[in-house]
Protein backbone atom coordinates (compact mmCIF):
# COMPACT_ATOMS: atom_id res chain seq x y z
CA UNK A 1 0.00 0.00 0.00
CA UNK A 2 2.69 2.49 1.05
CA UNK A 3 4.73 1.61 -2.01
CA UNK A 4 1.79 2.04 -4.34
CA UNK A 5 1.08 5.47 -2.84
CA UNK A 6 4.70 6.47 -3.47
CA UNK A 7 4.53 5.08 -6.99
CA UNK A 8 1.28 6.92 -7.72
CA UNK A 9 2.84 10.25 -6.74
CA UNK A 10 5.91 9.45 -8.82
CA UNK A 11 3.74 8.57 -11.81
CA UNK A 12 2.03 11.96 -11.62
CA UNK A 13 5.36 13.79 -11.21
CA UNK A 14 6.82 11.95 -14.20
CA UNK A 15 3.83 12.81 -16.37
CA UNK A 16 3.90 16.45 -15.31
CA UNK A 17 5.17 19.09 -17.70
CA UNK A 18 5.84 22.63 -16.47
CA UNK A 19 2.20 23.61 -15.81
CA UNK A 20 -0.01 20.64 -16.64
CA UNK A 21 0.05 16.83 -16.64
CA UNK A 22 -0.13 14.41 -19.57
CA UNK A 23 -2.62 11.52 -19.36
CA UNK A 24 0.37 9.17 -19.68
CA UNK A 25 4.08 9.53 -20.31
CA UNK A 26 4.02 7.42 -23.43
CA UNK A 27 3.37 8.97 -26.82
CA UNK A 28 -0.29 8.06 -26.83
CA UNK A 29 -1.74 11.36 -25.55
CA UNK A 30 0.84 14.16 -25.85
CA UNK A 31 -1.33 17.09 -24.64
CA UNK A 32 -3.62 18.25 -21.82
CA UNK A 33 -7.02 16.57 -21.73
CA UNK A 34 -10.00 18.19 -20.07
CA UNK A 35 -11.51 15.58 -17.72
CA UNK A 36 -8.14 13.86 -17.23
CA UNK A 37 -6.82 17.14 -15.84
CA UNK A 38 -9.74 17.52 -13.46
CA UNK A 39 -9.13 14.03 -12.02
CA UNK A 40 -5.39 14.71 -11.91
CA UNK A 41 -5.96 17.98 -10.02
CA UNK A 42 -8.00 16.06 -7.47
CA UNK A 43 -5.21 13.51 -7.10
CA UNK A 44 -2.62 16.25 -6.51
CA UNK A 45 -4.86 17.94 -3.94
CA UNK A 46 -4.15 15.02 -1.63
CA UNK A 47 -0.45 15.89 -1.36
CA UNK A 48 0.47 19.01 -3.36
CA UNK A 49 -2.10 21.77 -3.44
CA UNK A 50 0.07 24.02 -5.60
CA UNK A 51 0.22 21.49 -8.42
CA UNK A 52 -3.48 20.93 -8.06
CA UNK A 53 -4.39 24.59 -8.54
CA UNK A 54 -1.79 24.98 -11.31
CA UNK A 55 -3.37 22.08 -13.21
CA UNK A 56 -6.78 23.79 -12.96
CA UNK A 57 -5.40 27.19 -13.90
CA UNK A 58 -3.74 25.78 -17.02
CA UNK A 59 -6.88 23.95 -18.07
CA UNK A 60 -8.93 27.12 -17.66
CA UNK A 61 -6.35 29.14 -19.60
CA UNK A 62 -7.55 27.36 -22.74
CA UNK A 63 -11.19 28.36 -22.28
CA UNK A 64 -12.72 29.88 -25.40
CA UNK A 65 -14.24 33.36 -25.33
CA UNK A 66 -17.73 31.89 -25.60
CA UNK A 67 -17.13 29.75 -22.47
CA UNK A 68 -16.32 26.30 -23.89
CA UNK A 69 -13.44 24.43 -22.32
CA UNK A 70 -11.97 22.28 -25.13
CA UNK A 71 -11.41 18.57 -24.73
CA UNK A 72 -7.72 18.86 -25.70
CA UNK A 73 -5.27 21.74 -25.18
CA UNK A 74 -2.16 21.54 -27.36
CA UNK A 75 0.27 23.63 -25.31
CA UNK A 76 3.12 22.19 -27.35
CA UNK A 77 2.81 21.89 -31.11
CA UNK A 78 3.35 18.14 -31.16
CA UNK A 79 2.47 16.35 -34.39
CA UNK A 80 2.45 12.90 -32.83
CA UNK A 81 -1.24 12.86 -32.16
CA UNK A 82 -4.08 12.34 -34.63
CA UNK A 83 -5.93 14.61 -35.13
CA UNK A 84 -3.25 17.13 -34.14
CA UNK A 85 -3.55 20.90 -33.60
CA UNK A 86 -3.33 21.60 -37.34
CA UNK A 87 -6.15 19.23 -38.13
CA UNK A 88 -8.35 20.96 -35.55
CA UNK A 89 -7.12 24.44 -36.40
CA UNK A 90 -8.74 26.34 -33.56
CA UNK A 91 -8.27 27.84 -30.10
CA UNK A 92 -7.03 31.42 -29.88
CA UNK A 93 -4.96 31.70 -26.73
CA UNK A 94 -4.06 28.02 -26.75
CA UNK A 95 -4.33 25.68 -29.76
CA UNK A 96 -7.09 23.23 -29.01
CA UNK A 97 -9.69 20.80 -30.24
CA UNK A 98 -13.06 22.28 -31.18
CA UNK A 99 -15.23 20.11 -28.93
CA UNK A 100 -15.53 19.62 -25.18
CA UNK A 101 -15.56 16.82 -22.55
CA UNK A 102 -17.51 15.99 -19.34
CA UNK A 103 -17.40 19.04 -17.01
CA UNK A 104 -16.01 17.24 -13.97
CA UNK A 105 -13.98 20.28 -12.91
CA UNK A 106 -16.76 22.05 -10.96
CA UNK A 107 -17.20 19.03 -8.70
CA UNK A 108 -13.47 18.56 -8.25
CA UNK A 109 -13.03 22.18 -7.19
CA UNK A 110 -15.85 21.84 -4.66
CA UNK A 111 -14.30 18.68 -3.21
CA UNK A 112 -10.91 20.35 -2.88
CA UNK A 113 -12.34 23.44 -1.22
CA UNK A 114 -14.47 21.42 1.19
CA UNK A 115 -11.75 18.99 2.15
CA UNK A 116 -9.18 21.73 2.69
CA UNK A 117 -11.75 23.60 4.80
CA UNK A 118 -10.71 26.82 3.08
CA UNK A 119 -11.99 29.98 4.72
CA UNK A 120 -14.33 32.32 2.82
CA UNK A 121 -11.46 34.74 2.37
CA UNK A 122 -9.24 32.05 0.83
CA UNK A 123 -12.02 30.79 -1.43
CA UNK A 124 -12.43 34.29 -2.81
CA UNK A 125 -8.88 33.94 -4.14
CA UNK A 126 -10.31 31.38 -6.53
CA UNK A 127 -13.09 33.67 -7.68
CA UNK A 128 -11.76 33.59 -11.25
CA UNK A 129 -11.85 29.77 -11.31
CA UNK A 130 -15.47 29.77 -10.16
CA UNK A 131 -16.41 32.48 -12.61
CA UNK A 132 -14.84 30.57 -15.53
CA UNK A 133 -16.57 27.34 -14.52
CA UNK A 134 -19.87 29.23 -14.39
CA UNK A 135 -19.29 30.55 -17.89
CA UNK A 136 -18.53 27.03 -19.11
CA UNK A 137 -21.70 25.52 -17.64
CA UNK A 138 -23.78 28.40 -19.02
CA UNK A 139 -22.24 27.70 -22.43
CA UNK A 140 -23.64 24.15 -22.26
CA UNK A 141 -27.12 25.43 -21.44
CA UNK A 142 -27.04 28.06 -24.16
CA UNK A 143 -25.55 26.06 -27.00
CA UNK A 144 -26.19 22.43 -26.16
CA UNK A 145 -29.82 22.90 -25.21
CA UNK A 146 -30.93 25.86 -27.34
CA UNK A 147 -34.50 24.56 -27.37
CA UNK A 148 -34.57 24.57 -23.55
CA UNK A 149 -35.58 20.93 -23.23
CA UNK A 150 -33.70 20.55 -19.94
CA UNK A 151 -31.22 18.06 -21.39
CA UNK A 152 -27.75 18.68 -22.82
CA UNK A 153 -26.50 17.23 -26.12
CA UNK A 154 -23.09 16.02 -27.13
CA UNK A 155 -22.11 16.48 -30.76
CA UNK A 156 -19.23 14.03 -31.08
CA UNK A 157 -18.59 10.67 -29.33
CA UNK A 158 -15.24 12.08 -28.16
CA UNK A 159 -17.14 14.64 -26.09
CA UNK A 160 -18.47 11.86 -23.84
CA UNK A 161 -14.96 10.67 -22.97
CA UNK A 162 -16.11 7.09 -23.67
CA UNK A 163 -15.21 7.25 -27.32
CA UNK A 164 -16.14 3.90 -28.85
CA UNK A 165 -18.82 2.86 -26.39
CA UNK A 166 -21.62 0.74 -27.92
CA UNK A 167 -23.85 3.65 -26.82
CA UNK A 168 -22.81 5.32 -30.07
CA UNK A 169 -23.09 2.33 -32.44
CA UNK A 170 -26.57 3.18 -33.62
CA UNK A 171 -26.21 6.97 -33.88
CA UNK A 172 -22.88 6.47 -35.70
CA UNK A 173 -24.16 3.82 -38.09
CA UNK A 174 -25.93 6.42 -40.22
CA UNK A 175 -22.93 8.64 -40.72
CA UNK A 176 -21.56 8.45 -44.23
CA UNK A 177 -17.80 8.43 -44.24
CA UNK A 178 -16.17 11.24 -46.19
CA UNK A 179 -14.46 9.49 -49.11
CA UNK A 180 -11.68 12.08 -49.30
CA UNK A 181 -10.50 11.54 -45.74
CA UNK A 182 -6.77 11.82 -45.19
CA UNK A 183 -5.38 10.99 -41.78
CA UNK A 184 -2.94 8.53 -40.28
CA UNK A 185 -3.62 6.92 -36.92
CA UNK A 186 -0.79 6.45 -34.47
CA UNK A 187 -2.68 5.10 -31.43
CA UNK A 188 -2.97 1.56 -32.82
CA UNK A 189 0.80 1.38 -33.35
CA UNK A 190 1.45 2.27 -29.70
CA UNK A 191 -1.25 0.10 -28.08
CA UNK A 192 -2.34 -3.32 -29.39
CA UNK A 193 -4.93 -2.56 -32.07
CA UNK A 194 -7.26 -5.25 -30.65
CA UNK A 195 -7.78 -2.90 -27.69
CA UNK A 196 -8.39 0.28 -29.67
CA UNK A 197 -11.37 1.59 -31.68
CA UNK A 198 -11.87 0.17 -35.17
CA UNK A 199 -10.95 1.89 -38.43
CA UNK A 200 -14.59 2.48 -39.25
CA UNK A 201 -15.02 4.30 -35.90
CA UNK A 202 -12.05 6.55 -36.59
CA UNK A 203 -13.25 7.27 -40.12
CA UNK A 204 -16.50 8.48 -38.64
CA UNK A 205 -14.83 10.44 -35.82
CA UNK A 206 -12.72 12.33 -38.34
CA UNK A 207 -15.66 12.83 -40.72
CA UNK A 208 -17.71 14.47 -37.95
CA UNK A 209 -14.73 16.52 -36.81
CA UNK A 210 -14.03 17.83 -40.33
CA UNK A 211 -17.66 18.79 -40.71
CA UNK A 212 -17.57 20.75 -37.43
CA UNK A 213 -14.45 22.49 -38.67
CA UNK A 214 -16.16 23.44 -41.94
CA UNK A 215 -18.69 25.33 -39.82
CA UNK A 216 -15.89 27.14 -37.99
CA UNK A 217 -17.02 25.45 -34.80
CA UNK A 218 -19.77 28.06 -34.59
CA UNK A 219 -21.73 26.87 -31.52
CA UNK A 220 -24.95 28.44 -32.79
CA UNK A 221 -24.93 26.22 -35.88
CA UNK A 222 -23.43 23.01 -34.56
CA UNK A 223 -26.38 21.81 -32.47
CA UNK A 224 -28.59 21.80 -35.55
CA UNK A 225 -26.05 20.76 -38.17
CA UNK A 226 -23.69 18.26 -36.54
CA UNK A 227 -23.89 14.73 -37.94
CA UNK A 228 -24.12 13.45 -34.36
CA UNK A 229 -26.42 14.82 -31.66
CA UNK A 230 -27.14 12.64 -28.64
CA UNK A 231 -28.58 13.27 -25.18
CA UNK A 232 -26.53 10.89 -23.05
CA UNK A 233 -27.53 9.80 -19.54
CA UNK A 234 -23.95 9.70 -18.23
CA UNK A 235 -22.99 13.09 -19.58
CA UNK A 236 -26.14 14.74 -18.26
CA UNK A 237 -25.55 13.15 -14.85
CA UNK A 238 -22.08 14.65 -14.64
CA UNK A 239 -23.48 17.95 -15.87
CA UNK A 240 -26.23 18.02 -13.25
CA UNK A 241 -23.73 17.29 -10.49
CA UNK A 242 -21.50 20.07 -11.86
CA UNK A 243 -24.41 22.54 -11.73
CA UNK A 244 -25.19 21.61 -8.13
CA UNK A 245 -21.55 22.01 -7.17
CA UNK A 246 -21.33 25.34 -8.98
CA UNK A 247 -24.36 26.49 -6.99
CA UNK A 248 -22.45 25.54 -3.84
CA UNK A 249 -19.29 27.35 -5.01
CA UNK A 250 -21.22 30.50 -5.84
CA UNK A 251 -22.69 30.45 -2.38
CA UNK A 252 -19.16 30.29 -0.95
CA UNK A 253 -18.32 33.60 -2.59
CA UNK A 254 -21.67 35.21 -1.70
CA UNK A 255 -23.01 34.97 -5.23
CA UNK A 256 -25.97 33.10 -6.61
CA UNK A 257 -27.59 32.46 -9.98
CA UNK A 258 -31.32 31.90 -10.35
CA UNK A 259 -30.66 30.83 -13.96
CA UNK A 260 -28.47 27.94 -12.75
CA UNK A 261 -30.91 27.03 -9.99
CA UNK A 262 -33.78 26.84 -12.46
CA UNK A 263 -31.81 24.66 -14.84
CA UNK A 264 -30.87 22.28 -12.00
CA UNK A 265 -34.56 21.64 -11.36
CA UNK A 266 -35.33 21.21 -15.07
CA UNK A 267 -32.34 18.96 -15.74
CA UNK A 268 -33.11 16.78 -12.71
CA UNK A 269 -36.73 16.33 -13.74
CA UNK A 270 -35.81 15.32 -17.27
CA UNK A 271 -32.84 13.15 -16.40
CA UNK A 272 -35.06 10.93 -14.24
CA UNK A 273 -37.32 10.38 -17.24
CA UNK A 274 -34.44 8.62 -18.99
CA UNK A 275 -34.63 5.85 -16.38
CA UNK A 276 -37.54 3.46 -16.47
CA UNK A 277 -37.94 2.31 -12.89
CA UNK A 278 -40.27 -0.57 -13.71
CA UNK A 279 -38.13 -2.09 -16.44
CA UNK A 280 -34.91 -0.84 -14.82
CA UNK A 281 -33.53 0.38 -18.13
CA UNK A 282 -31.96 3.63 -19.27
CA UNK A 283 -32.38 5.30 -22.59
CA UNK A 284 -30.30 7.79 -24.51
CA UNK A 285 -32.00 10.11 -26.98
CA UNK A 286 -30.53 10.22 -30.47
CA UNK A 287 -31.81 13.63 -31.59
CA UNK A 288 -30.37 13.33 -35.08
CA UNK A 289 -32.37 10.22 -35.91
CA UNK A 290 -35.17 10.80 -33.45
CA UNK A 291 -34.78 7.43 -31.74
CA UNK A 292 -33.87 6.04 -28.34
CA UNK A 293 -30.96 3.70 -27.63
CA UNK A 294 -30.85 1.35 -24.66
CA UNK A 295 -27.40 0.02 -23.87
CA UNK A 296 -26.37 -1.35 -20.43
CA UNK A 297 -23.40 0.94 -19.79
CA UNK A 298 -21.82 1.77 -16.43
CA UNK A 299 -22.07 5.44 -17.40
CA UNK A 300 -25.85 5.25 -17.02
CA UNK A 301 -25.28 4.74 -13.30
CA UNK A 302 -23.56 8.12 -13.11
CA UNK A 303 -27.12 9.15 -12.24
CA UNK A 304 -26.24 8.13 -8.68
CA UNK A 305 -23.48 10.72 -8.77
CA UNK A 306 -25.87 13.55 -9.61
CA UNK A 307 -27.42 13.15 -6.15
CA UNK A 308 -31.05 13.08 -7.23
CA UNK A 309 -33.48 14.09 -4.54
CA UNK A 310 -35.83 11.24 -5.41
CA UNK A 311 -35.02 8.44 -2.95
CA UNK A 312 -37.08 5.79 -4.77
CA UNK A 313 -35.16 6.36 -7.99
CA UNK A 314 -31.86 6.18 -6.09
CA UNK A 315 -32.89 2.92 -4.44
CA UNK A 316 -33.82 1.41 -7.78
CA UNK A 317 -30.61 2.59 -9.36
CA UNK A 318 -28.60 0.84 -6.65
CA UNK A 319 -30.64 -2.33 -7.00
CA UNK A 320 -30.04 -2.30 -10.71
CA UNK A 321 -26.31 -1.59 -10.29
CA UNK A 322 -25.92 -4.57 -7.96
CA UNK A 323 -27.44 -6.75 -10.61
CA UNK A 324 -25.25 -5.20 -13.30
CA UNK A 325 -22.02 -6.32 -11.62
CA UNK A 326 -23.20 -9.43 -9.78
CA UNK A 327 -21.09 -11.91 -11.73
CA UNK A 328 -17.89 -9.91 -12.15
CA UNK A 329 -14.69 -10.43 -10.25
CA UNK A 330 -13.40 -6.96 -11.14
CA UNK A 331 -15.62 -3.90 -10.98
CA UNK A 332 -17.13 -2.25 -13.01
CA UNK A 333 -17.28 -3.48 -16.59
CA UNK A 334 -17.91 -0.43 -18.79
CA UNK A 335 -20.52 -2.48 -20.68
CA UNK A 336 -22.51 -5.34 -19.21
CA UNK A 337 -20.84 -8.65 -20.17
CA UNK A 338 -24.35 -10.01 -20.81
CA UNK A 339 -24.84 -7.61 -23.70
CA UNK A 340 -23.97 -8.62 -27.24
CA UNK A 341 -21.76 -5.59 -27.80
CA UNK A 342 -19.46 -6.42 -24.85
CA UNK A 343 -15.77 -6.92 -25.72
CA UNK A 344 -13.44 -7.83 -22.89
CA UNK A 345 -10.42 -5.91 -24.16
CA UNK A 346 -11.59 -3.18 -26.50
CA UNK A 347 -11.32 0.22 -24.82
CA UNK A 348 -14.79 1.51 -23.83
CA UNK A 349 -16.64 -1.64 -24.89
CA UNK A 350 -16.16 -3.67 -21.70
CA UNK A 351 -12.98 -2.93 -19.70
CA UNK A 352 -12.95 -1.45 -16.20
CA UNK A 353 -12.01 2.26 -15.99
CA UNK A 354 -10.89 3.74 -12.67
CA UNK A 355 -12.57 7.10 -13.31
CA UNK A 356 -15.94 5.36 -13.73
CA UNK A 357 -15.42 3.50 -10.46
CA UNK A 358 -14.59 6.78 -8.74
CA UNK A 359 -17.71 8.51 -10.07
CA UNK A 360 -19.91 5.60 -8.99
CA UNK A 361 -18.24 5.52 -5.58
CA UNK A 362 -18.91 9.22 -5.06
CA UNK A 363 -22.55 8.57 -5.90
CA UNK A 364 -22.84 5.59 -3.54
CA UNK A 365 -20.99 6.83 -0.48
CA UNK A 366 -23.90 8.82 0.95
CA UNK A 367 -26.56 6.31 -0.16
CA UNK A 368 -25.23 2.80 0.51
CA UNK A 369 -22.09 2.87 2.64
CA UNK A 370 -21.51 -0.88 2.56
CA UNK A 371 -21.69 -1.16 -1.19
CA UNK A 372 -19.57 1.99 -1.59
CA UNK A 373 -16.88 0.58 0.67
CA UNK A 374 -16.83 -2.64 -1.32
CA UNK A 375 -16.31 -0.65 -4.55
CA UNK A 376 -13.54 1.36 -2.92
CA UNK A 377 -11.69 -1.70 -1.59
CA UNK A 378 -11.97 -3.67 -4.81
CA UNK A 379 -10.75 -0.73 -6.89
CA UNK A 380 -7.78 -0.21 -4.58
CA UNK A 381 -6.91 -3.94 -4.73
CA UNK A 382 -7.07 -3.99 -8.51
CA UNK A 383 -4.77 -0.99 -8.87
CA UNK A 384 -2.33 -2.28 -6.25
CA UNK A 385 -2.10 -5.56 -8.13
CA UNK A 386 -1.91 -4.28 -11.70
CA UNK A 387 -0.64 -0.71 -11.18
CA UNK A 388 -1.74 2.37 -13.09
CA UNK A 389 -3.02 1.09 -16.39
CA UNK A 390 -5.47 2.91 -18.62
CA UNK A 391 -8.08 0.13 -18.27
CA UNK A 392 -8.42 -3.44 -16.99
CA UNK A 393 -10.24 -6.65 -17.89
CA UNK A 394 -13.30 -7.25 -15.71
CA UNK A 395 -12.74 -11.00 -16.13
CA UNK A 396 -9.05 -11.44 -15.30
CA UNK A 397 -8.02 -8.03 -13.97
CA UNK A 398 -5.36 -7.81 -16.69
CA UNK A 399 -4.05 -4.26 -17.09
CA UNK A 400 -4.34 -2.88 -20.63
CA UNK A 401 -3.82 0.21 -22.77
CA UNK A 402 -1.32 2.83 -21.64
CA UNK A 403 0.98 2.25 -18.67
CA UNK A 404 1.58 4.95 -16.01
CA UNK A 405 -1.87 6.36 -16.63
CA UNK A 406 -2.35 9.59 -14.70
CA UNK A 407 -6.01 9.40 -13.69
CA UNK A 408 -5.60 5.81 -12.43
CA UNK A 409 -2.76 7.05 -10.20
CA UNK A 410 -4.58 10.24 -9.17
CA UNK A 411 -7.84 8.52 -8.32
CA UNK A 412 -6.08 5.65 -6.55
CA UNK A 413 -4.62 8.32 -4.26
CA UNK A 414 -8.03 9.86 -3.84
CA UNK A 415 -9.58 6.50 -2.95
CA UNK A 416 -6.92 5.54 -0.46
CA UNK A 417 -6.20 8.88 1.23
CA UNK A 418 -9.79 9.89 1.97
C1 LIG B 1 -9.26 8.80 -24.72
C2 LIG B 1 -10.40 8.56 -23.73
C3 LIG B 1 -10.76 9.86 -23.05
C4 LIG B 1 -9.54 10.48 -22.41
C5 LIG B 1 -8.37 10.58 -23.38
C6 LIG B 1 -7.06 10.95 -22.71
O1 LIG B 1 -9.66 9.61 -25.74
O2 LIG B 1 -11.48 7.97 -24.36
O3 LIG B 1 -11.76 9.66 -22.11
O4 LIG B 1 -9.85 11.73 -21.90
O5 LIG B 1 -8.16 9.37 -24.05
O6 LIG B 1 -6.77 10.07 -21.67
Amino acid sequence: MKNTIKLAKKTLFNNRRSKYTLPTNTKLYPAQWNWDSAFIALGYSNFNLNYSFKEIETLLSGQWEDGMIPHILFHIKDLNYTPNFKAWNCGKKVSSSGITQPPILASVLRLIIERQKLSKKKIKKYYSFIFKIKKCLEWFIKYRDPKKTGLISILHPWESGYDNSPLWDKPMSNIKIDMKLKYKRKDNKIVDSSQRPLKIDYDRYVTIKNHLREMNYDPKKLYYKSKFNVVDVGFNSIFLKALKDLDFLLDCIDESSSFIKRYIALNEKNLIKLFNTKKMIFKNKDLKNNTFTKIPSITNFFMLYSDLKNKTVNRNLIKSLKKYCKKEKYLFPSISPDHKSFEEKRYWRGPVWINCNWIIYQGLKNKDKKFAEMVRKRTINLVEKKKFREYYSCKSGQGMGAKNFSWSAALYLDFILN
Side-chain angles (χ1 to χ4, degrees), residues 23-24 29 33-36 71 81 101 158 160-164 196 347-348 353 355 390 405 407:
T24 157
Y29 308 117
W33 258 260
N34 183 331
W35 75 333
D36 296 60
H71 100 293
Y81 182 75
Q101 247 189 346
W158 283 338
S160 68
Y162 18 108
D163 309 5
N164 67 337
R196 296 290 303 180
Y347 215 37
W348 288 97
W353 289 77
N355 66 334
E390 192 177 5
F405 197 66
W407 84 37

Side-chain angles (χ1 to χ4, degrees), residues 4-159:
T4 317
I5 293 178
K6 251 196 195 158
L7 209 62
K9 293 179 184 172
K10 201 169 146 205
T11 301
L12 290 177
F13 284 148
N14 286 344
N15 292 350
R16 191 166 188 268
R17 299 301 174 257
S18 61
K19 47 185 186 152
Y20 67 97
T21 310
L22 303 174
T24 157
N25 62 6
T26 62
K27 292 203 174 108
L28 196 57
Y29 308 117
Q32 184 179 28
W33 258 260
N34 183 331
W35 75 333
D36 296 60
S37 256
F39 293 128
I40 290 165
L42 185 69
Y44 280 136
S45 73
N46 290 293
F47 66 101
N48 189 325
L49 211 50
N50 282 343
Y51 280 10
S52 176
F53 284 130
K54 193 73 201 167
E55 189 75 31
I56 296 175
E57 189 185 311
T58 310
L59 178 60
L60 291 171
S61 73
Q63 181 169 38
W64 285 14
E65 267 160 35
D66 61 14
M68 184 185 81
I69 304 177
H71 100 293
I72 309 176
L73 298 178
F74 300 101
H75 298 287
I76 292 173
K77 308 261 151 85
D78 186 306
L79 290 169
N80 276 316
Y81 182 75
T82 303
N84 61 35
F85 70 98
K86 279 193 188 156
W88 284 102
N89 192 32
C90 55
K92 270 192 195 152
K93 280 179 277 172
V94 183
S95 282
S96 72
S97 68
I99 56 173
T100 189
Q101 247 189 346
I104 283 279
L105 185 60
S107 309
V108 160
L109 186 61
R110 173 182 179 168
L111 268 179
I112 296 174
I113 282 176
E114 274 187 320
R115 285 185 191 159
Q116 297 292 329
K117 300 194 175 65
L118 296 185
S119 65
K120 249 195 175 154
K121 211 168 137 204
K122 282 226 171 93
I123 297 172
K124 286 206 168 153
K125 252 178 69 187
Y126 301 106
Y127 188 93
S128 75
F129 286 3
I130 299 173
F131 179 74
K132 285 178 179 170
I133 288 172
K134 176 167 177 273
K135 204 170 160 196
C136 162
L137 299 183
E138 285 169 348
W139 173 89
F140 275 108
I141 298 173
K142 193 164 166 198
Y143 296 116
R144 295 310 181 84
D145 182 21
K147 294 183 184 167
K148 304 194 171 42
T149 64
L151 293 165
I152 299 294
S153 284
I154 53 169
L155 305 183
H156 194 300
W158 283 338
E159 291 202 311

Side-chain angles (χ1 to χ4, degrees), residues 144 153-160 163 167-173 175 204-205 208 211-212 222-232 284 286-289:
R144 295 310 181 84
S153 284
I154 53 169
L155 305 183
H156 194 300
W158 283 338
E159 291 202 311
S160 68
D163 309 5
L167 286 164
W168 321 129
D169 287 359
K170 235 173 127 200
M172 289 282 270
S173 65
I175 295 174
R204 290 195 171 115
Y205 298 149
I208 309 173
H211 182 235
L212 300 178
L222 301 190
Y223 180 86
Y224 299 98
K225 299 253 167 87
S226 174
K227 294 174 189 291
F228 180 97
N229 184 330
V230 174
V231 166
D232 172 56
N284 267 2
D286 176 354
L287 297 184
K288 204 72 203 172
N289 300 296

Side-chain angles (χ1 to χ4, degrees), residues 377-394:
K377 281 207 178 115
R378 284 171 70 172
T379 307
I380 288 173
N381 285 343
L382 175 62
V383 178
E384 290 187 345
K385 230 160 99 190
K386 303 290 174 181
K387 300 298 175 282
F388 316 113
R389 298 302 296 262
E390 192 177 5
Y391 42 92
Y392 309 80
S393 158
C394 66

Side-chain angles (χ1 to χ4, degrees), residues 277-291:
T277 306
K278 272 201 199 118
K279 294 190 184 154
M280 298 279 217
I281 47 173
F282 301 87
K283 49 185 184 188
N284 267 2
K285 271 188 186 173
D286 176 354
L287 297 184
K288 204 72 203 172
N289 300 296
N290 211 5
T291 50

